[in-house]
Amino acid sequence: MDNMYLQKLRDLPIEGVAERLGLRVTRHKSLCPFHDDVHPSLSFNTRKNIYHCFVCGAKGGTIDLVMRHLGMDFLEACRWLANQNNIILEEYSPTITKEKTPHKEFCASRYEKFFIHPYLSDNAMRFLYFERMLDQRVVQWCRISSWQDNMGIDWLQIPYYDTEGKLIGIQNRNLSLGKDAPRFRFPQGSRCSIYNLPILNTLKAEDDLYLTEGCSDCWSMLSSGHKALAIPSATLLKEEDLKPLLEQHKKLDIRFHMFPDRDLPGERLFLQLKDLLPNLEHHHLPKDCKDFSEYYMKYFFAKKS
């Protein structure tokens, strides 16, 4: 990619990029999305156009922020920034080209063995059962596993399946956020769009199906006794991803529900889905809850206990 276009992307205001990613910036600070932040620790230097978290050490510029927050590679992050800011990119293509390396497909057979009998480390069990307060049956249904890399970093291994139960992708979530590693990692070729698609096979006529934002909200919704799946962010959602939902709605007259996150991206995602799923019903979270996971822990689980 030509350096002139790269510089355009690097010169985009860092705080504006953060807000497009859904971060709420106040007085040059926001909650850090790369660790469980309570007090805003992600700081923005508008003069140098960079970000830096003084707790987990995350730092970089506009492209780095998008790469880390959305789990994208360099080119994907550049394209995302360009699309969001109406910048037309001309990617460098030399006159004499080497033979292109074919795109690597996701190798399901390499990872399927980890989910036949999922292993949960102490950190994983602490996160799932004590921090998130999830129902053990939900963890088993989702086949959540864990592993530790050679740097001693614990990862939660979250499998994505299609409606036929075929493994199509994996999302790895960092459970050792104090260490120098991204919050999420994806094996090459992973297709991590809609999460928990196998739930569609359990639906009956006029059932209720809850659409959530992210795996954590989906686990909480399932633990509260509802059938649910997770939808990616508005910037990553593709209309073709919703095809299985539309087919089930047409076949069984499914009723769709959603508790959008209490922020602008959450409402934007709801409106986008409402255009495609006209019977989608909006539910409001209490003012002291930013997402359904927090609502589940504060209200539903506390009441159940």
Side-chain angles (χ1 to χ4, degrees):
M1 189 177 296
D2 193 288
N3 284 335
M4 179 182 71
Y5 295 101
L6 285 177
Q7 195 59 48
K8 282 186 179 181
L9 300 179
R10 292 186 174 119
D11 289 342
L12 291 168
I14 188 72
E15 292 184 349
V17 172
E19 288 175 342
R20 283 186 179 273
L21 288 168
L23 303 181
R24 185 177 179 180
V25 182
T26 304
R27 296 180 180 177
H28 308 302
K29 288 188 175 183
S30 77
L31 292 174
C32 180
F34 309 122
H35 73 278
D36 292 331
D37 205 2
V38 178
H39 302 290
S41 60
L42 193 68
S43 179
F44 299 94
N45 185 324
T46 54
R47 184 174 60 84
K48 294 182 178 180
N49 212 40
I50 58 173
Y51 70 93
H52 183 206
C53 176
F54 293 95
V55 175
C56 70
K59 60 183 178 180
T62 55
I63 300 174
D64 304 288
L65 182 59
V66 174
M67 288 174 64
R68 187 160 188 165
H69 193 275
L70 297 181
M72 294 179 170
D73 63 26
F74 183 81
L75 279 177
E76 288 172 333
C78 288
R79 293 179 186 129
W80 185 92
L81 276 170
N83 290 336
Q84 290 289 313
N85 295 277
N86 297 317
I87 296 174
I88 299 175
L89 295 180
E90 291 184 9
E91 295 181 20
Y92 176 67
S93 179
T95 305
I96 302 175
T97 58
K98 295 182 180 179
E99 185 177 349
K100 290 185 177 180
T101 303
H103 175 70
K104 289 187 178 180
E105 297 292 332
F106 177 67
C107 183
S109 59
R110 178 182 176 186
Y111 300 100
E112 284 171 337
K113 59 185 178 183
F114 297 115
F115 306 108
I116 297 173
H117 299 291
Y119 163 76
L120 292 177
S121 65
D122 290 341
N123 275 348
M125 288 192 285
R126 187 181 303 112
F127 174 79
L128 295 169
Y129 299 131
F130 295 98
E131 293 182 24
R132 297 291 174 168
M133 305 176 185
L134 301 178
D135 190 310
Q136 186 175 359
R137 292 168 296 180
V138 170
V139 174
Q140 291 172 347
W141 161 264
C142 295
R143 303 188 200 178
I144 304 169
S145 184
S146 64
W147 64 287
Q148 188 178 87
D149 65 17
N150 56 11
M151 301 295 291
I153 298 173
D154 284 319
W155 296 89
L156 199 66
Q157 205 168 27
I158 306 164
Y160 280 67
Y161 296 93
D162 63 14
T163 52
E164 298 176 354
K166 178 183 176 183
L167 183 66
I168 57 174
I170 297 172
Q171 177 185 16
N172 292 298
R173 176 170 181 153
N174 186 352
L175 295 176
S176 307
L177 291 173
K179 298 189 178 182
D180 187 19
R183 188 179 185 185
F184 297 106
R185 276 183 176 169
F186 304 85
Q188 191 163 17
S190 283
R191 288 161 50 203
C192 297
S193 53
I194 295 182
Y195 175 71
N196 197 33
L197 280 171
I199 201 73
L200 296 178
N201 299 321
T202 71
L203 295 175
K204 300 176 183 178
E206 298 185 355
D207 259 359
D208 296 307
L209 180 64
Y210 286 78
L211 310 183
T212 64
E213 298 180 63
C215 299
S216 295
D217 281 358
C218 185
W219 300 332
S220 297
M221 187 66 75
L222 292 167
S223 295
S224 68
H226 297 293
K227 295 181 178 180
L229 46 74
I231 303 288
S233 67
T235 56
L236 299 179
L237 180 64
K238 298 176 182 177
E239 191 170 338
E240 63 190 53
D241 293 333
L242 295 176
K243 186 177 179 181
L245 278 70
L246 294 168
E247 290 175 350
Q248 286 296 78
H249 171 63
K250 185 177 180 180
K251 179 181 177 182
L252 300 172
D253 193 24
I254 300 302
R255 297 185 294 255
F256 297 105
H257 303 264
M258 187 175 181
F259 284 84
D261 288 358
R262 289 181 56 84
D263 55 22
L264 186 59
E267 290 299 328
R268 188 186 303 131
L269 178 58
F270 171 80
L271 292 174
Q272 183 179 358
L273 291 171
K274 182 72 174 175
D275 286 339
L276 301 169
L277 305 171
N279 74 338
L280 179 62
E281 184 175 344
H282 188 293
H283 299 274
H284 291 280
L285 291 166
K287 292 183 178 179
D288 60 340
C289 298
K290 67 179 185 300
D291 55 32
F292 188 83
S293 291
E294 189 171 357
Y295 170 72
Y296 168 77
M297 290 184 285
K298 280 187 176 180
Y299 293 95
F300 185 88
F301 185 83
K303 188 183 295 184
K304 187 172 69 172
S305 301

